[in-house]
Amino acid sequence: QVQLVESGGGLVQAGGSLRLSCAAPGRTGRTIGASGMGWFRQAPGKEREFVAGITWNGGDTYYADSVKGRFTISRDNAKNTVYLEMNSLKPEDTAVYRCAASLSSVPSTDYERYRYWGQGTQVTVSS
């Protein structure tokens, strides 16, 4: 079982920034190094939605239209960590953010294509 641990969430005013981290401690790191990674979010009463994804080597990144130009996904395989830099935050970005490791070396917008999930970190943006 791969364990993913998110951190970096919190309360921020609209227009502010947060940086989320997703770490795979211990021996799980090798698995993540070969996996596409994704960030998803889910707000109360709404469905889980894809936010951003990155290929195993960081060569390609993908974003939901709602965050394009504001969010940046990156990874450091030496540290077994994936990041989500979030700028110009809006109240509608409020949600629980979860990272996930894909079944393959590329990410997907379909959450069913992910094998392992973190518990999530809360992001709240006040207006």
Side-chain angles (χ1 to χ4, degrees):
Q1 186 73 15
V2 174
Q3 181 183 11
L4 301 176
V5 181
E6 301 98 336
S7 61
L11 173 64
V12 63
Q13 289 187 333
S17 300
L18 284 173
R19 188 193 196 201
L20 305 184
S21 297
C22 171
R27 296 184 296 173
T28 63
R30 182 166 184 160
T31 301
I32 288 186
S35 296
M37 297 294 293
W39 284 96
F40 287 76
R41 67 186 181 187
Q42 188 166 19
K46 295 187 176 181
E47 293 187 353
R48 177 169 26 186
E49 65 170 338
F50 171 82
V51 175
I54 189 167
T55 53
W56 72 278
N57 62 352
D60 290 292
T61 57
Y62 308 87
Y63 299 94
D65 288 342
S66 58
V67 307
K68 201 170 293 183
R70 300 187 298 121
F71 290 12
T72 302
I73 188 172
S74 62
R75 68 190 299 162
D76 185 339
N77 286 346
K79 295 182 178 180
N80 301 321
T81 303
V82 177
Y83 306 97
L84 185 67
E85 184 77 33
M86 306 186 295
N87 299 313
S88 302
L89 283 161
K90 305 175 181 180
E92 51 263 44
D93 294 318
T94 295
V96 174
Y97 285 70
R98 299 176 71 186
C99 66
S102 172
L103 291 167
S104 72
S105 61
V106 298
S108 171
T109 59
D110 182 359
Y111 69 86
E112 292 185 347
R113 299 299 299 168
Y114 290 81
R115 179 186 303 172
Y116 302 112
W117 292 82
Q119 292 298 309
T121 184
Q122 176 70 47
V123 171
T124 303
V125 184
S126 63
S127 58

